[in-house]
Amino acid sequence: MKVAIIGGGPAGLYSAILLKKQRPDADIAVYERNRHDDTFGFGVVFSDATLDNFEKYDPPSYQRITQEFAYWDDIAVHFRGTVHRVGGNGFCGCSRRMLLLILQERARELGVRLFFEVEITDEEKFADADLIVLADGSNSRFRGKFADHFQPEVDLRSNKFTWMGSTKPLDAFTFVFQETEWGPFIAHAYQYEVGRSTWIFETDPDTFERAGLTGLSEEESAKRMETIFSEFLDGHPLLINRSMWRNFPMIRNQRWVKDNMVLLGDAKATAHFSIGSGTKLAMEDAIALADAMRSAPTIDAALNAYEHGRREEVEKTQHAADVSLVWFEHVDRFWDFDPVQFAFGVMTRAKAITYDNLGLRAPEFVAEVDKVFARQVRTRGFDINVEKPVAPMFQPFKLRDMVVRNRAVVSPMCMYSAKEGVPQDFHLVHYGSRAIGGAGLIFTEMTCVGPDARITHGCTGLWNDEQEAMWRRIVDFVHGNSAAKICLQLGHAGRKGATKLMWDGIDRPLEEGGWDVVSASPIPYFPDSQVPCELDRAAMSRIKQEFVDAAIRGDRCGFDMLELHCAHGYLLASFISPLTNTRTDEYGGALENRLRFPLEVFAAMRAAWPALKPMSVRISATDWAEGGLTGDDAVEVARAFGEAGVDLVDVSTGQTVRDSRPIYGRMFQTPFSDQVRNEAHVATMCVGNITSADQVNTILAAGRADLVALGRPHLADPSFVLRAAAWYGAADAYCPPQYLPGKEQIFRNSVRDRQDFEELKIKGKPKTRAELKADAKADPAKPLAAE
Ligand SMILES: Cc1cc2nc3c(=O)[nH]c(=O)nc-3n(C[C@H](O)[C@H](O)[C@H](O)COP(=O)(O)OP(=O)(O)OC[C@H]3O[C@@H](n4cnc5c(N)ncnc54)[C@H](O)[C@@H]3O)c2cc1C
Ligand SMILES: Cc1cc2nc3c(=O)[nH]c(=O)nc-3n(C[C@H](O)[C@H](O)[C@H](O)COP(=O)(O)O)c2cc1C
């Protein structure tokens, strides 16, 4: 078998090693245009987990790599004169040059043919090869040549960055956030060998411009960065090696394989340097390719298996890198934060590190985070303990005159169980049990303002006395038996109306017994859905009045709060999204026009709703679709509602159009809440795949939302909040007197359960390589277990 590998970076060399080990008889050649010891950049970093993988796949190169590595455990965040450190992270650094030399040596040993200073311009040169590996880096010539087939997407990010080195020693992965007269600069720095550290500098394009960096030579810009970061470099110089300022290319490819050619490493997909995973991805691609080649019967099948088996993992890493890079791009959002909260945000930005997890590694830091949060709550007029505060989830919050005892909310969820819009006993038990279960605030399901405003026959309504009476009964029960507040969500289904119950086919049109549906524009949801009638002014006025009438009934029921549903593609959302609003009157066109009707409805309801009671609006912050709403639009939408008097923006996403492409994952909508809260400066509630109290605390403590809604977790467990209160020892959590013995028991047991759990976690956690190295230093007779 003959294999030609174009590119002698980590992806090319490691795939050569693994394939040669697997097929010693194969003719494997690597072609690299640079000299063998000619490399840009300084260090690379790997996590302990990545090194475990290397150990499994090629122990000899692993041994050499780890001999050369610098290990460290801590992450340090420097911001406004403070430094916060967190241990237990397990990172290793090594020079890129050394890594490549080790891989070259190992490849040679195995019999791989290595060619340097050979630039490949045409794959025809390898017409007789069985497999051609395209590992030619982020500017891949061959990805470009076959762009029609691979369908690459190269998203050049806005921030400028450069990769420099220094002789400054560092004992932690260090983030420095430096204020300058031009704007914020960030350094991502780590030591990779004795006397050498990597310094990646990053800033936004405006700050770059204002700082006069445009057009400076490498030497000049290094001098400028030395001045900006002088207090952190301690007189050590910055070193340059092709240290040009660039924009990071986020690269993805629709296809990874063409005939017998396969993309690997940066040529195929990049991951932002802030999660240090580019080299990891490249080398793990090589592992995945070797695995596929080992088990598949033909090269075609192997390449197919590689692409299909590996894609999800790569996309997950890229998603984490995306979340992280966006955090750095928008660091100005958090610049006014308290340094402790800021540092907490840095640590938890990419979701892998959480509040509880930090609580184990750095309890004093998390205690500080809690205190900072509690002090902020106190400045809002709450007489709470700031010295030994409860976790953020159990801190109170106030909107107008409404006070909620904790930050956990039952998200609005249709139960599809009403009859003619009248809530049933099911609803009384459903809402009642969640109120008793301890949530601070409970939202009703989308309650419709008229019979033809319903999504389904099972939706609740509030347009007649019978409905009002049952809602009053529910509200009275909640107020009489719990400490929860209850918010009425009012909506109109628009073009998603006259559809089946969730369990009969969500959003599918009713075959019989439906009603005529309306929308901003006559565009059906599914191709076979009813074509909605475009609303005229008279119909808009009628519907606005229905919202007002329902709000007045809601007040009579005793609801504490009112939410206007402008999300998920329902009527008011259909006005806001450009994908569903193609009107040519003053309600279509620019965002300002598309918002006009939802704002009119909001203003009319606000005028009818008591001034002391708060109102929120639920929005879809993005349509997750080409040409649709984006996070930036959501900030504008939130600002407009904020000016109209909204107290809270309930930030959801999507469900506007059928062909949307949401990126799901843990807490996947939280970045939008973060953006809206910290750019539009309005209080927000976030929601979406938030499943644990740990995540709730992580979000709140990082200042990414003010309230956190949980939908499905509350369907599975009405006492979600009481359980969390027991876990965090929030003794003040409300419990009705009838249930007190249960509360006492769960609080008592939780202390022990938590201790057991933490001990298990600590005992079960393997030592990081940095810890093993420290142990070995203390006791030289003891071998390094992981090496
Ligand atoms: C600023 C910065 C910081 C980074 N920090 C880290 C980090 O801390 N940790 C980490 O893991 N990763 C880091 N990375 C990412 C890392 O450098 C890359 O992700 C990794 O090198 C990808 O490996 P690769 O083999 O796919 O590509 P490359 O390393 O780019 O190798 C491709 C090779 O192909 C050669 N080549 C290209 N075209 C041809 C041709 N036509 N003929 C012959 N040869 C050719 C090139 O000369 C090059 O040597 C960083 C990247 C940047 C830009
Ligand atoms: C069965 C069900 C019904 C829902 N009904 C509504 C609703 O009436 N109004 C609304 O705004 N969102 C509704 N949603 C969306 C939820 O409020 C929430 O945003 C979504 O479930 C994501 O949160 P989760 O991951 O915590 O479940 C519903 C979700 C589910 C699962």
Side-chain angles (χ1 to χ4, degrees):
M1 179 161 125
K2 191 165 175 176
V3 181
I5 299 177
I6 307 175
L13 289 170
Y14 206 49
S15 58
I17 292 169
L18 300 184
L19 291 175
K20 188 71 182 168
K21 279 180 69 170
Q22 209 178 84
R23 298 165 195 241
D25 296 338
D27 170 8
I28 300 183
V30 177
Y31 300 86
E32 167 58 50
R33 66 180 170 204
N34 291 337
R35 289 195 299 266
H36 82 106
D37 59 349
D38 185 25
T39 177
F40 68 91
F42 297 90
V44 295
V45 354
F46 295 125
S47 66
D48 269 357
T50 305
L51 288 178
D52 289 345
N53 240 345
F54 296 167
E55 184 177 22
K56 194 167 136 207
Y57 278 85
D58 187 46
S61 58
Y62 164 81
Q63 297 285 354
R64 284 173 230 172
I65 290 169
T66 47
Q67 272 159 19
E68 300 297 336
F69 258 40
Y71 296 96
W72 67 91
D73 236 8
D74 287 5
I75 295 181
V77 177
H78 295 258
F79 179 58
R80 279 209 243 124
T82 63
V83 51
H84 293 97
R85 291 179 78 104
V86 170
N89 297 287
F91 283 112
C92 316
C94 139
S95 86
R96 175 173 155 103
R97 187 169 168 277
M98 184 54 73
L99 175 71
L100 292 182
L101 291 177
I102 291 170
L103 296 179
Q104 288 168 16
E105 183 189 41
R106 175 75 180 133
R108 256 191 224 101
E109 246 170 52
L110 290 164
V112 172
R113 296 188 298 131
L114 299 180
F115 299 92
F116 292 94
E117 299 177 65
V118 179
E119 169 120 23
I120 305 300
T121 52
D122 192 350
E123 77 292 353
E124 287 300 321
K125 183 177 159 77
F126 307 120
D128 61 340
D130 300 285
L131 173 65
I132 304 175
V133 177
L134 307 176
D136 52 346
S138 58
N139 291 322
S140 172
R141 167 197 292 267
F142 293 95
R143 183 187 66 223
K145 181 170 178 183
F146 300 110
D148 283 353
H149 178 84
F150 291 126
Q151 297 183 37
E153 181 195 315
V154 181
D155 175 13
L156 266 193
R157 303 304 307 187
S158 58
N159 270 8
K160 293 278 184 191
F161 79 96
T162 181
W163 198 353
M164 297 191 184
S166 175
T167 50
K168 161 83 180 149
L170 292 167
D171 61 356
F173 192 112
T174 302
F175 292 109
V176 184
F177 296 87
Q178 184 69 324
E179 175 90 53
T180 71
E181 59 190 280
W182 308 290
F185 276 86
I186 307 164
H188 309 237
Y190 56 90
Q191 183 155 341
Y192 59 88
E193 61 185 33
V194 178
R196 283 286 185 278
S197 46
T198 296
W199 288 71
I200 303 171
F201 297 110
E202 177 178 12
T203 190
D204 63 86
D206 295 338
T207 304
F208 183 81
E209 187 75 38
R210 282 193 294 265
L213 285 157
T214 314
L216 292 194
S217 68
E218 278 178 61
E219 290 79 6
E220 288 166 336
S221 76
K223 286 277 164 262
R224 180 67 51 88
M225 300 319 289
E226 274 173 9
T227 315
I228 292 175
F229 287 91
S230 58
E231 61 183 291
F232 301 98
L233 288 163
D234 288 334
H236 287 269
L238 283 176
L239 313 171
I240 49 174
N241 176 2
R242 289 204 246 159
S243 306
M244 281 80 71
W245 287 91
R246 289 179 282 162
N247 295 73
F248 186 81
M250 200 63 193
I251 297 172
R252 294 180 164 84
N253 280 277
Q254 286 289 317
R255 295 207 186 102
W256 297 358
V257 175
K258 179 177 187 326
D259 307 325
N260 65 341
M261 290 186 287
V262 58
L263 288 170
L264 240 65
D266 274 7
K268 173 199 91 271
T270 53
H272 192 244
F273 51 81
S274 62
I275 63 163
S277 290
T279 308
K280 161 202 154 85
L281 268 189
M283 291 175 69
E284 288 180 350
D285 281 351
I287 290 176
L289 178 65
D291 275 349
M293 290 287 287
R294 180 181 300 110
S295 42
T298 61
I299 288 182
D300 269 1
L303 297 187
N304 193 32
Y306 159 73
E307 173 161 358
H308 289 101
R310 176 100 180 109
R311 191 174 274 280
E312 190 182 328
E313 193 55 38
V314 169
E315 286 179 355
K316 268 205 296 215
T317 307
Q318 283 196 300
H319 180 58
D322 267 352
V323 171
S324 175
L325 82 82
V326 167
W327 193 94
F328 284 100
E329 281 175 356
H330 297 286
V331 70
D332 55 323
R333 278 184 203 156
F334 317 104
W335 212 254
D336 295 333
F337 274 29
D338 179 284
V340 175
Q341 190 172 36
F342 182 92
F344 183 82
V346 179
M347 310 268 186
T348 56
R349 70 189 185 282
K351 304 198 281 195
I353 299 179
T354 62
Y355 177 87
D356 279 3
N357 175 277
L358 279 175
L360 285 179
R361 300 192 208 176
E364 319 75 40
F365 175 59
V366 173
E368 256 324 286
V369 170
D370 284 350
K371 281 185 191 171
V372 166
F373 195 89
R375 282 200 289 270
Q376 290 168 358
V377 173
R378 199 185 174 99
T379 57
R380 298 206 177 102
F382 288 99
D383 182 19
I384 51 152
N385 184 347
V386 288
E387 283 318 308
K388 258 185 138 283
V390 284
M393 177 172 171
F394 296 97
Q395 293 290 356
F397 187 62
K398 188 171 179 191
L399 292 168
R400 298 205 184 207
D401 253 14
M402 183 187 83
V403 173
V404 290
R405 281 171 77 107
N406 62 57
R407 309 289 182 113
V409 176
V410 177
S411 200
M413 275 177 296
C414 280
M415 291 292 107
Y416 307 99
S417 303
K419 294 209 164 60
E420 302 299 331
V422 181
Q424 303 294 300
D425 285 354
F426 176 87
H427 294 89
L428 178 67
V429 174
H430 168 68
Y431 292 112
S433 53
R434 273 132 198 96
I436 290 173
L441 176 62
I442 293 186
F443 277 66
T444 69
E445 59 205 273
M446 176 168 127
T447 296
C448 307
V449 295
D452 59 353
R454 286 176 300 167
I455 312 168
T456 69
H457 278 296
C459 290
T460 53
L462 190 45
W463 65 82
N464 67 31
D465 292 347
E466 196 186 349
Q467 293 156 351
E468 186 180 322
M470 189 56 184
W471 276 122
R472 188 179 311 115
R473 194 171 158 219
I474 292 169
V475 173
D476 285 350
F477 180 89
V478 168
H479 287 160
N481 294 283
S482 79
K485 297 292 190 296
I486 181 161
C487 174
L488 168 68
Q489 186 188 62
L490 288 179
H492 187 302
R495 69 174 186 154
K496 289 169 98 177
T499 53
K500 296 182 179 176
L501 305 183
M502 175 181 72
W503 42 86
D504 291 335
I506 196 153
D507 296 329
R508 298 296 308 152
L510 282 172
E511 276 130 30
E512 53 191 46
W515 50 91
D516 292 342
V517 301
V518 294
S519 191
S521 298
I523 309 168
Y525 187 63
F526 285 112
D528 62 341
S529 297
Q530 231 190 94
V531 178
C533 173
E534 178 171 310
L535 280 185
D536 61 17
R537 192 49 256 188
M540 283 157 76
S541 298
R542 172 180 67 78
I543 289 171
K544 182 168 77 177
Q545 192 54 46
E546 286 177 352
F547 272 100
V548 171
D549 293 345
I552 292 168
R553 283 185 183 275
D555 181 41
R556 281 205 298 262
C557 293
F559 281 104
D560 302 291
M561 180 174 167
L562 181 62
E563 173 161 287
L564 178 62
H565 198 333
C566 293
H568 301 167
Y570 297 117
L571 182 67
L572 297 177
S574 78
F575 274 84
I576 303 175
S577 170
L579 300 176
T580 46
N581 180 344
T582 54
R583 297 173 75 103
T584 51
D585 61 4
E586 71 266 40
Y587 296 98
L591 179 60
E592 190 191 351
N593 290 352
R594 301 196 312 268
L595 270 170
R596 200 180 302 275
F597 182 53
L599 285 170
E600 276 176 21
V601 173
F602 179 83
M605 289 165 79
R606 187 61 270 184
W609 184 246
L612 294 178
K613 289 189 186 182
M615 274 188 72
S616 61
V617 61
R618 180 165 250 209
I619 61 168
S620 283
T622 173
D623 289 330
W624 299 111
E626 194 73 30
L629 292 170
T630 64
D632 289 344
D633 295 322
V635 173
E636 292 312 312
V637 171
R639 279 203 185 109
F641 277 106
E643 281 162 20
V646 91
D647 302 292
L648 178 88
V649 179
D650 173 359
V651 185
S652 185
T653 66
Q655 300 176 48
T656 322
V657 286
R658 286 307 305 162
D659 52 356
S660 61
R661 288 179 57 202
I663 303 172
Y664 292 115
R666 273 173 295 160
M667 308 183 267
F668 74 110
Q669 297 174 155
T670 303
F672 297 97
S673 161
D674 192 348
Q675 181 175 6
V676 168
R677 180 179 191 267
N678 296 311
E679 286 189 16
H681 302 291
V682 290
T684 61
M685 176 164 89
C686 70
V687 65
N689 217 8
I690 298 161
T691 52
S692 68
D694 177 24
Q695 290 170 357
V696 174
N697 280 315
T698 307
I699 292 165
L700 294 169
R704 311 184 83 190
D706 297 278
L707 295 174
V708 179
L710 302 103
R712 289 164 296 171
H714 270 121
L715 292 184
D717 182 2
S719 299
F720 178 91
V721 178
L722 184 68
R723 275 181 215 285
W727 187 255
Y728 288 104
D732 279 353
Y734 180 83
C735 175
Q738 298 92 325
Y739 291 176
L740 277 177
K743 178 181 175 185
E744 282 159 17
Q745 185 185 51
I746 192 174
F747 269 67
R748 207 170 41 244
N749 289 347
S750 275
V751 176
R752 204 186 48 230
D753 290 350
R754 192 168 170 159
Q755 264 167 8
D756 289 351
F757 177 78
E758 290 181 355
E759 270 170 31
L760 257 178
K761 273 221 140 172
I762 291 166
K763 273 195 206 139
K765 180 180 173 295
K767 285 201 167 182
T768 64
R769 283 172 175 77
E771 287 165 339
L772 291 168
K773 199 139 186 158
D775 287 356
K777 223 174 178 177
D779 178 5
K782 208 164 129 193
L784 249 187
E787 287 183 10

